[in-house]
Amino acid sequence: MGRRLHGRGALFDTDPAGLAPRLVGLRPHQHRATPVEHPKELPFVLLTGGRGLGKSAVLGELRDAYKGHTPVASIDCEDVQFARPTGGRPLEAWSPVSQALLVVAEQLAEPVTGAGRITFPRLMSGLVAVAAGGWDDADSERIRREVERILLLNEGGSWVAGFAGRMAGRVTANVVSAVSGTGPLVASAIEATLESFSDSFVNRRQQRASAWWRAYPNAGADARRGLMLLSGHFRAGGTSREHAERYLVRALLADLTDAYAGMLPRMQRLGRPVVLVDNAHRAPGPGLVDAILRDRAEGIADQVVFVGGLRGTDRPVLRNAVRRTLAEVARRSDWVPDPASPSSRALLVALPPLNPDDTLHLVGAACAEVPVPPQLPYATHRLTGGNPLGIVHLADSAAQNLPGAASLGELLTADVRLDDDRDARPTYLELLDRLVPADRLDELTVLAAAHDHDSACALAEALLPDDFGPADVRALQTRLVAEGLVEAPGRFVGDSFVRTLLLLRLHHRDADHGQWRQAHETLIRYYAHAADDDDPARARYRLHHELALGRSESAVAYLRDSFPTLDIRVWLRSLRFIASAPYFHAHDAEGHDFAARDDRRAAIALGRTDAEQVVPQGGDAVLHLRIRRLLHAVWQLTDPLALPDPKVCDRLRFELEQLSNLRPAGNALLWRASRDWPEDALAGRPLRVPDDDEDEPDGEA
């Protein structure tokens, strides 16, 4: 695998063979055959998951592993060339699918080891017929450009290449001349194209291809009529265009099948052709996927390995797709389609996050020349949740900014240069560009502080434009789920890494952190109005946001006063959630920064400020100060942007031990927490509440 691709061996392993070599029939980066898993019918493999999980990286590795060994084509459906036609071509004669087929065929045509170019006479004829539908008002130069590009799909790379090139030029001239005349334009273009196949020099394979369009529905065994109908259906749009596009896809696959037919091609061509479709949820992806799945379901076989990247997992057209985890396909996929369901021809493979060891290797590779704090890799894994994009960008920032940066927060706000031809930018902005929808970045920046639909609506009403209402909040929440971001009760943005990045952007939107304060003040008012302090499932939301503004007094008082009576498991969860408040170094009363590295939590947790505290009159001073130290210890140790402090871990253990002596009924839970929590914090794991069968998310009661 590539230098920076980890945790994906199930796809690329050679001994035993991973999924890719079992489908392609070739070992990656080698011209050595390997047995295929599905000799008759192939699944359309779609790698699924949210943004940043490495789908594009995997497809890039597949391209590099097989390019030059077997025909390979790669497209990104988010590329601008699939968004709109260029060069004056009208929409009625262009679609993302037709453009994708042209681009794919151009790449598949390239010679590979041991075999020459592949020609695409069927597809070439169909694309000329489609393009001709947009030549009504075209100048001859534009027609020439379009025709020449399409005709090159039928140019072989043999010893007659010079003749073939001259023939393509002659056909181009004939087409331009024909459509410039007085006859029917589309018919003239099709006639001139088909005449090129009647040349005495054209081999029988191409002559067979010229007859392929006779089988188009209602063509009456007339190729010219078939292409005329194709052009008309394409121009009609809607389902008629989808029908025409399906036949264009079929033409591409028929040309590929023909290229592998016969004894000599089978000996020359080791491995199946590979087509990679990144961001397959965007056009032309759905059209390509649907056409291929439907044809395969109808028994129209091909031997092309299609692998795509799909953001999210729940697409209605794929409801019956076979679903597997990456680990489940490492040795065999056990894919068996349902004859009655075209979508079962798809195999959805979920890409998992990377594990801590993968993170360690990625950080180590990027920072080979830089001393790295020993806790940095595991803190990076805790922050990113194993998101490969996040790990790689943070590793790049560490390589460029260590030893100057002292925390993950500083690595995120520090500038990073990802490419030589790009200016350096803050790391967190580079990540947000890739991890969240660009058109909703501003709204998500504000709503990241919310916990559910209602609190998000409160924030939207206070801080977002008037035209962004409850329906827009719900639509945005639905979109996040559709794009593969995890849901978590108690968090509007469920993915903790993305949420942290959005909150970091909210904090840095203005010099005095005004919007940051407004967002949390809004939620403090919302929960103060809606909640009763005696309800632990509600009161802690308000205390969480007060703590985010640096105000810890109410949280300490609540935890102190509820400690003797509240169920210890609920109390520990409350402590954990309140202390999960985001922290971005200290500010003065006006919200301005004291200093970039002024983190007072460790000093408070270690008791260095106890002497300055005024204990509430009549209260238990020892318990009050112990709770205050404990709150700040958990706050510091669970901060995803800070490296856990071993001294604070020791203090956390001590404070929980002492509290266990004060609650005989909860002694066992507090004692176990005193052992588990410091260990979890140092290992970069979430703090576990003892005896929870399924540890509840921080936002739940």
Side-chain angles (χ1 to χ4, degrees):
M1 289 185 292
R3 182 179 65 87
R4 308 190 81 174
L5 196 60
H6 292 262
R8 305 302 186 231
L11 294 171
F12 296 99
D13 286 345
T14 57
D15 191 15
L19 180 62
R22 296 199 312 271
L23 293 178
V24 179
L26 279 179
R27 294 189 176 197
H29 300 284
Q30 301 178 34
H31 202 64
R32 294 178 60 191
T34 191
V36 294
E37 180 177 0
H38 301 287
K40 293 184 179 180
E41 184 178 1
L42 284 161
F44 193 127
V45 178
L46 288 164
L47 307 173
T48 66
R51 297 172 185 252
L53 280 180
K55 300 182 293 296
S56 298
V58 167
L59 295 178
E61 178 68 14
L62 281 169
R63 180 195 61 227
D64 295 343
Y66 290 109
K67 189 173 178 61
H69 301 284
T70 194
V72 176
S74 175
I75 62 170
D76 183 350
C77 296
E78 290 190 337
D79 195 303
V80 68
Q81 68 175 316
F82 304 119
R84 65 191 67 87
T86 58
R89 191 168 179 179
L91 283 170
E92 62 265 22
W94 180 94
S95 76
V97 170
S98 66
Q99 180 69 17
L101 292 172
L102 174 60
V103 173
V104 165
E106 287 174 334
Q107 296 178 56
L108 291 175
E110 293 300 317
V112 298
T113 302
R117 287 177 60 87
I118 295 176
T119 59
F120 293 89
R122 298 167 180 83
L123 179 62
M124 180 270 288
S125 304
L127 291 179
V128 168
V130 166
W135 290 341
D136 285 336
D137 301 317
D139 60 84
S140 60
E141 185 55 36
R142 198 197 101 195
I143 296 173
R144 186 181 302 277
R145 287 197 308 270
E146 292 182 16
V147 173
E148 284 180 345
R149 181 175 181 184
I150 296 171
L151 288 178
L152 286 176
L153 297 180
N154 200 37
E155 183 176 339
S158 65
W159 62 274
V160 294
F163 178 85
R166 291 194 298 274
M167 188 181 73
R170 179 160 53 83
V171 174
T172 300
N174 290 343
V175 170
V176 173
S177 175
V179 301
S180 301
T182 58
L185 186 147
V186 177
S188 299
I190 292 171
E191 194 70 43
T193 304
L194 290 177
E195 283 180 0
S196 68
F197 291 113
S198 66
D199 191 293
S200 60
F201 196 83
V202 174
N203 61 37
R204 281 180 294 176
R205 177 171 290 172
Q206 289 186 322
Q207 289 174 348
R208 289 199 309 270
S210 72
W212 188 82
W213 287 102
R214 296 175 183 173
Y216 193 83
N218 298 319
D222 183 344
R224 177 181 175 280
R225 177 168 172 75
L227 288 167
M228 287 289 294
L229 289 169
L230 173 81
S231 181
H233 288 152
F234 193 95
R235 290 197 306 276
T239 55
S240 295
R241 173 172 288 188
E242 291 174 5
H243 174 81
E245 289 175 338
R246 185 178 172 190
Y247 270 82
L248 289 173
V249 173
R250 192 177 293 178
L252 170 82
L253 298 179
D255 285 331
L256 282 172
T257 300
D258 212 16
Y260 278 72
M263 182 62 70
L264 183 59
R266 284 200 298 269
M267 293 175 60
Q268 290 177 324
R269 296 190 180 278
L270 295 178
R272 292 159 162 165
V274 179
V275 177
L276 308 171
V277 185
D278 201 3
N279 292 302
H281 51 280
R282 296 282 298 272
L288 292 172
V289 173
D290 180 65
I292 293 157
L293 296 183
R294 288 174 61 190
D295 272 9
R296 288 179 174 179
E298 293 180 9
I300 302 174
D302 66 84
Q303 288 292 299
V304 181
V305 177
F306 285 94
V307 183
L310 183 69
R311 192 176 300 157
T313 58
D314 295 323
R315 305 284 166 176
V317 297
L318 296 171
R319 62 171 56 92
N320 294 320
V322 178
R323 299 171 187 268
R324 297 283 185 268
T325 65
L326 185 61
E328 289 172 335
V329 301
R331 298 297 172 256
R332 52 183 295 175
S333 67
D334 290 324
W335 171 79
V336 179
D338 178 356
S341 175
S343 64
S344 70
R345 267 72 189 171
L347 173 63
L348 272 55
V349 179
L351 291 186
L354 301 183
N355 62 39
D357 286 346
D358 296 324
T359 306
L360 177 68
H361 296 318
L362 281 169
V363 173
C367 301
E369 307 299 325
V370 179
V372 175
Q375 293 173 327
L376 180 65
Y378 293 102
T380 298
H381 188 266
R382 178 182 69 171
L383 167 64
T384 62
N387 182 287
L389 183 72
I391 295 168
V392 168
H393 278 20
L394 274 164
D396 286 338
S397 181
Q400 296 175 33
N401 292 291
L402 288 177
S407 68
L408 289 173
E410 291 185 32
L411 289 178
L412 284 173
T413 54
D415 286 346
V416 62
R417 183 185 296 276
L418 300 179
D419 297 301
D420 292 338
D421 57 351
R422 294 175 57 186
D423 293 335
R425 296 176 66 214
T427 308
Y428 75 94
L429 292 180
E430 292 284 0
L431 284 164
L432 286 173
D433 282 349
R434 299 278 302 278
L435 293 176
V436 302
D439 60 319
R440 287 304 186 194
L441 177 58
D442 288 341
E443 291 85 355
L444 281 171
T445 297
V446 171
L447 300 182
H451 301 279
D452 53 22
H453 173 77
D454 291 340
S455 58
C457 288
L459 280 174
E461 183 179 3
L463 297 175
L464 294 178
D466 293 340
D467 60 353
F468 192 87
D472 302 286
V473 171
R474 199 171 297 281
L476 184 53
Q477 201 165 19
T478 302
R479 181 175 175 183
L480 294 180
V481 174
E483 292 203 355
L485 282 176
V486 297
E487 295 182 90
R491 305 289 193 193
F492 182 82
V493 177
D495 187 289
S496 61
F497 179 43
V498 173
R499 181 176 184 270
T500 298
L501 296 173
L502 289 167
L503 290 175
L504 189 59
R505 183 174 186 262
L506 177 64
H507 186 262
H508 285 281
R509 291 191 80 174
D510 35 43
D512 65 351
H513 315 295
Q515 287 200 21
W516 168 263
R517 294 201 316 275
Q518 289 176 27
H520 290 288
E521 292 286 3
T522 297
L523 291 174
I524 289 169
R525 290 192 298 271
Y526 172 78
Y527 285 110
H529 175 73
D532 180 347
D533 276 359
D534 292 331
D535 180 1
R538 301 283 297 175
R540 57 188 184 180
Y541 286 104
R542 175 176 60 81
L543 301 174
H544 170 95
H545 292 286
E546 288 188 7
L547 193 61
L549 295 178
R551 305 201 293 262
S552 63
E553 296 81 5
S554 295
V556 172
Y558 173 80
L559 292 168
R560 178 198 67 213
D561 296 341
S562 62
F563 176 73
T565 58
L566 199 61
D567 179 88
I568 286 299
R569 189 177 290 105
V570 175
W571 188 86
L572 285 170
R573 289 188 194 133
S574 298
L575 167 63
R576 183 182 61 183
F577 175 71
I578 294 169
S580 69
Y583 178 90
F584 300 111
H585 58 263
H587 313 125
D588 62 22
E590 284 72 42
H592 295 285
D593 298 341
F594 278 132
R597 296 182 178 177
D598 187 3
D599 184 344
R600 300 176 177 179
R601 294 172 298 180
I604 295 173
L606 295 173
R608 295 170 184 165
T609 65
D610 284 359
E612 306 167 8
Q613 297 305 302
V614 178
V615 179
Q617 195 169 18
D620 185 333
V622 173
L623 179 62
H624 178 89
L625 292 174
R626 191 177 306 286
I627 295 296
R628 183 172 182 267
R629 292 191 295 267
L630 179 62
L631 173 66
H632 285 81
V634 176
W635 195 12
Q636 196 276 336
L637 292 173
T638 59
D639 185 351
L641 299 180
L643 299 181
D645 187 331
K647 293 181 180 179
V648 175
C649 280
D650 289 339
R651 192 61 185 235
L652 173 64
R653 177 179 292 107
F654 174 77
E655 300 296 355
L656 287 170
E657 283 179 2
Q658 296 305 305
L659 285 178
S660 70
N661 294 326
L662 302 180
R663 282 288 303 271
N667 175 276
L669 290 175
L670 288 165
W671 176 263
R672 284 183 57 187
S674 74
R675 268 48 195 164
D676 292 345
W677 283 17
E679 182 180 300
D680 290 341
L682 287 175
R685 296 190 298 263
L687 305 188
R688 296 165 290 173
V689 174
D691 285 354
D692 276 356
D693 292 333
E694 293 184 3
D695 205 8
E696 298 179 26
D698 286 337
E700 285 190 346

